[in-house]
Amino acid sequence: MIQTLYIEQAIFDHPRSVAIRQRFPQASVVTCERYGEVFNPKAQNFRLQKQQPSLILAEKFNKFVLEAPFSYNIGGQRNYYFSHMLNCIYDCRYCFLQGMYRSANYVLFVNYEDFDTAIEQTIKESNQPAYFFSGYDCDSLALEPVTGFIKHTLPLFKKFDNAYIELRTKSTQIRSLLEINAMQNCIVAFSLSPDNLAAALEHKAPSLSKRLDALEKLQQTGWPIGLRFDPIIYCDDYQQIYDEFFKQVFARINLKQLHSVSLGTFRMPQGFYRNIVKLYPEEKLFAGPLAESQPMVSYESELEQQMLNFCRDKLLELIPEEKLFICHDDI
Amino acid sequence: MLHIVTALPCEAKPLIKQYRLNGRQAENGFRIYENQQIRLIIAGIGKCAAAAACAYLQGAEPQGKHAWLNLGIAGHGDLNIGEAIMAHKVTDATTGKNWYPAMPFNHPCPTATLISVDQPQTDYCANTAYDMEASGFYATASRFNSGELVQVFKVISDNHANSAEQVSAQLTEQIIAARLDDIDALIQQLFKLEQQQQMSPEIKQFQQHWHFSVSQQHKLQRLLQRWLARSQTAIKADDFSNKKNSKAVLQALEKQIIALPMSFGDK
């Protein structure tokens, strides 16, 4: 799976680096001073690298926990995110990471304890329940068998009843969660799309039915579930497709276990969008009715509103309003 | 097109034979051999020569997006004569600067750190190869294309037991010829990657019929991409032959794209 492991010299002998080296004994091991030497150079092509990404092991020194935009909230006033990893093993064509990073290599920060300290401090300083999002720059669970980050971090959240963590995923790597008792302050949020859109746009990700199977297992063992219908993608028959899709999903959902549902249409900062179009000019998603000249590229405003209204109305037939959150980005 | 940079004629000779590369008429500065897919330049020894050779090739076609390969011999602390490596890290011994060639494909041989030095090396560190060109090559070629398409392949010619002074032209030719299978596997990988960068050819048809300003060319390119993405069929410039000017072509094209179906496969 991993052919090349880049490791910062300073953490070469860190126990997690050693364990990961042992996990990939065939990989070429290359040392570097700082991960940015490998990850940041301009002369890189995300699309070509995505065909066989390498893993970079690094140490993070600051900005462990950052404030998340309020428009992404799932019921909390204080929202934060952290990224123990950069990049994702899946290859979703709508993902902003392709436009944000020059490299498709995965970066894993191995100093988990420093994340713990920052999270704990943030919780203690917050006068309201704090919500932490772990799946912003990566999928929260997809590489869990290699990183063990969630297994390491969840016990921290057991100590606090005023802190919530959202694990956002398309993965079926749920073993580490099934091995422990469900935590009511840990929301496992599945990003879902209709079958045909998932097949066309969410490359390398598990199918919708596999994600729903994983979701159901977690639900049955008491984990709070989140559903993330973001991005909603336009196609000529989107109303029929999303209507059937919502029914298909909610046939598997126990509303008592459902923490939240969020909804958003496809949108992307213009700079990222332009980078991605250069990488994938033949992609149908980018040939749709998009307003490309806006600072935040999205569907033309009337269409966007129609799509949101339609999906919101359909969802409100299935769930109470207080569980639905609409995501949007304002620039 | 793949650009291959070698330092010496004896490094180039097996490739010239294998790929039937024809020598160009004498040019100032460099000897160049080529066929339809490969252009090989004999740079001479050293980082500066390698950098100059890269610039010379690119300068002949400044807009070109080519794959690049530095191929030659190197010393190594542990490996036997005739073994091959690809460089996963290139270090310039003088400046300490590093490059990390990304290899998003199965490499045909082991990889190693390669240090580019100014003089032939007699002390070899473990697990490290030494040459005299790669850092100059990489620093220059990676200005012209992304790192995945800029690779360094070396065959070991000297080690602790056999010093660099003993390396002859005949030996060099022999050990490189013995690695032609690995070299060809790498070249095929580079061709595959390079093909993924090529742009749609339809734009040239349109440019032959109408004059497009630079900003109109960008718009045209994007419209043709959108057309192809939505229709999955090529478009012909002749279909717009009744349009008087480029502005009318762009408007008509955009209108046709909007009318195309927008769907994503079966439900």
Side-chain angles (χ1 to χ4, degrees), chain A residues 178-217:
Chain A
L178 294 175
E179 283 171 355
I180 60 173
N181 290 329
M183 292 168 55
Q184 292 314 302
N185 61 341
C186 174
I187 302 126
V188 189
F190 282 84
S191 293
L192 302 175
S193 298
D195 257 335
N196 63 320
L197 293 168
L201 299 171
E202 297 173 350
H203 307 291
K204 302 180 187 172
S207 65
L208 173 63
S209 67
K210 284 187 176 163
R211 282 180 241 175
L212 289 173
D213 289 345
L215 178 158
E216 207 164 23
K217 279 183 195 159

Side-chain angles (χ1 to χ4, degrees), chain A residues 28-310:
Chain A
S28 301
V29 176
V30 186
T31 58
C32 58
E33 283 300 309
R34 287 291 288 139
Y35 78 92
E37 287 179 73
V38 183
F39 194 67
N40 292 337
K42 203 175 167 191
Q44 298 190 84
N45 183 305
F46 192 100
R47 181 177 182 164
L48 297 182
Q49 279 190 15
K50 195 73 189 172
Q51 294 170 23
Q52 201 160 297
S54 301
L55 175 59
I56 306 171
L57 303 182
E59 183 175 13
K60 193 169 174 69
F61 290 101
N62 52 31
K63 297 183 180 172
F64 293 97
V65 174
L66 296 164
E67 275 196 45
F70 181 70
S71 58
Y72 280 74
N73 85 88
I74 49 170
Q77 293 295 311
R78 296 276 182 269
N79 300 289
Y80 306 93
Y81 72 94
F82 57 86
S83 300
H84 68 288
M85 209 178 138
L86 311 179
N87 272 328
C88 177
I89 64 170
Y90 306 133
D91 189 15
C92 301
R93 199 54 67 240
Y94 52 70
C95 179
F96 72 98
L97 294 173
Q98 311 163 94
M100 186 163 78
Y101 297 134
R102 290 175 176 139
S103 170
N105 292 333
Y106 318 128
V107 179
L108 175 68
F109 298 110
V110 298
N111 50 325
Y112 299 171
E113 291 74 13
D114 292 326
F115 283 91
D116 296 348
T117 305
I119 291 168
E120 199 159 347
Q121 191 181 339
T122 308
I123 295 170
K124 285 176 179 167
E125 286 172 0
S126 179
N127 53 6
Q128 295 187 58
Y131 283 72
F132 292 86
F133 297 84
S134 74
Y136 188 72
D137 291 319
C138 65
D139 184 289
S140 298
L141 293 175
L143 220 57
E144 179 64 11
V146 176
T147 69
F149 180 81
I150 298 304
K151 193 174 182 179
H152 167 90
T153 299
L154 284 188
L156 171 70
F157 282 85
K158 277 188 184 160
K159 296 196 292 185
F160 299 98
D161 53 12
N162 63 338
Y164 294 80
I165 179 170
E166 184 205 77
L167 309 179
R168 189 172 295 202
T169 191
K170 292 189 179 87
S171 167
T172 55
Q173 298 287 356
I174 55 171
R175 191 183 303 169
S176 63
L177 299 177
L178 294 175
E179 283 171 355
I180 60 173
N181 290 329
M183 292 168 55
Q184 292 314 302
N185 61 341
C186 174
I187 302 126
V188 189
F190 282 84
S191 293
L192 302 175
S193 298
D195 257 335
N196 63 320
L197 293 168
L201 299 171
E202 297 173 350
H203 307 291
K204 302 180 187 172
S207 65
L208 173 63
S209 67
K210 284 187 176 163
R211 282 180 241 175
L212 289 173
D213 289 345
L215 178 158
E216 207 164 23
K217 279 183 195 159
L218 289 166
Q219 186 177 250
Q220 283 163 359
T221 49
W223 290 87
I225 297 298
L227 298 174
R228 305 292 171 250
F229 303 125
D230 184 7
I232 299 287
I233 302 292
Y234 174 79
C235 45
D236 294 335
D237 48 356
Y238 81 88
Q239 296 192 348
Q240 187 193 341
I241 284 175
Y242 277 96
D243 187 17
E244 288 171 7
F245 166 61
F246 292 145
K247 285 176 185 157
Q248 180 189 2
V249 171
F250 280 92
R252 310 280 293 270
I253 296 295
N254 172 0
L255 285 182
K256 285 182 187 165
Q257 290 296 122
L258 181 66
H259 174 274
S260 53
V261 176
S262 56
L263 180 67
T265 52
F266 172 73
R267 61 211 178 278
M268 178 90 64
Q270 192 186 56
F272 296 175
Y273 178 82
R274 286 183 175 167
N275 291 340
I276 298 174
V277 169
K278 274 186 204 159
L279 291 170
Y280 299 96
E282 77 286 6
E283 173 55 55
K284 192 179 278 186
L285 172 66
F286 309 131
L290 293 163
E292 292 186 335
S293 57
Q294 296 177 162
M296 179 66 75
V297 175
S298 60
Y299 292 117
E300 287 152 4
S301 59
E302 195 180 334
L303 175 64
E304 183 180 46
Q305 206 51 54
Q306 275 175 19
M307 290 168 69
L308 274 178
N309 289 345
F310 175 83

